[in-house]
Amino acid sequence: MGYENLIYEKEENIALITINRPKVLNALNADLLRELEAVVEEVEKDGEVRAVIITGAGDKAFVAGADIAYMSGLSPLEAKSFAQLGQRVFSKVENMSKPVIAAVNGYALGGGNELAMACDIRVASDKAKFGQPEVQLGLIAGFGGTQRLSRLVNPGLAKEILFTADQYDAETAHKIGLVNHVVPGEELISFCKGMAKRIASRGPVAVRLSKEAVNQGLNMDLDKAIALEADLFGLVFTTEDRKEGIGAFLEKRKPAFNNK
Ligand code: CAA
């Protein structure tokens, strides 16, 4: 399928999705969100893809937030639907069976930071800037930011970020646990591709079940969550990949996983 507001490329078993409205710093309107939903569904169905990278077009922004011009004309009910659309799409990103890396190449503000937080792993360019500036517009975060931010960093810090609308540089985002790595801008995509390739070389079912255990477990109490882990640990023993992985170790060779 062709996309107007994003670029979808596939390099071997890595999918690269580039949010592509650089003239407005990749701001998210409803059309773009629907395309993002469609590409996520396309990637999800593609048995070849083992890992996904999401980034922004141009050298200035990952995503500078929801599209403010678009939002200026919304009624309260339309605004609620817009928030629900963004939330649905970001939940699909979060719950994809394949790992998703956000390559944050510039501003990740408002809906941009919310998109990055819906990804599994965040890597920032040293030029990236993070924040939730909604209160400066008289709004609140609406694409999951109040919830994902307070789960990722401590709730006090999340409140400070949400209440002040301050911008944070990449090093600070790293210090507070919002991003895993900070790398020079020109190395960002190759760094993320390297990580995606390492993930893609591991047992695909095992990676998928690891993601499921973390995501589902975070919404449970610890006893239930570790019980889920034991169930998934048992499940992975039904797979050909488990036989191959353990066999390869014992035979001192590289495993050739087949995602079964
Ligand atoms: N929506 C719509 N257009 C945007 C935009 C956004 N979120 N962010 C930037 N743009 C547009 C600007 O209007 C400008 O367009 P024109 O050239 O036509 O004037 C273009 O992108 C370039 O932006 P600037 O000239 O402002 O670039 P700058 O380098 O001076 O500043 C910036 C960069 C600090 C990111 C500034 O653009 C900015 O503050 N943007 C808005 C950030 C923001 O408030 N985001 C939160 C949106 S609300 C939200 O996301 C709600 C939610 O949770 C669902």
Side-chain angles (χ1 to χ4, degrees), residues 23-25 27 60 64-69 71 107 109-111 114 132-134 137 139-143 167:
K23 282 193 184 133
V24 288
L25 307 187
K60 232 177 134 176
D67 189 322
I68 299 169
M71 287 190 297
Y107 288 110
L109 300 176
E114 291 170 298
Q132 295 290 153
E134 287 87 347
L137 300 164
L139 305 177
I140 69 165
F143 293 165
Q167 280 184 20

Side-chain angles (χ1 to χ4, degrees), residues 78-155:
E78 287 166 341
K80 182 176 174 184
S81 298
F82 184 52
Q84 288 170 329
L85 171 66
Q87 290 173 0
R88 183 178 82 220
V89 177
F90 289 7
S91 290
K92 281 194 182 167
V93 171
E94 184 169 52
N95 295 315
M96 272 181 102
S97 65
K98 304 158 201 266
V100 187
I101 302 170
V104 183
N105 54 310
Y107 288 110
L109 300 176
N113 191 40
E114 291 170 298
L115 174 59
M117 290 191 295
C119 297
D120 297 304
I121 293 166
R122 282 152 294 285
V123 181
S125 140
D126 52 1
K127 294 178 198 76
K129 292 255 164 59
F130 296 81
Q132 295 290 153
E134 287 87 347
V135 293
Q136 211 171 328
L137 300 164
L139 305 177
I140 69 165
F143 293 165
T146 58
Q147 302 312 307
R148 289 198 178 91
L149 189 58
S150 47
R151 283 162 172 77
L152 256 179
V153 304
N154 74 59

Side-chain angles (χ1 to χ4, degrees), residues 220-233:
M220 296 173 174
D221 67 42
L222 186 62
D223 285 346
K224 287 206 177 81
I226 57 173
L228 170 71
E229 185 186 76
D231 286 343
L232 295 175
F233 190 78

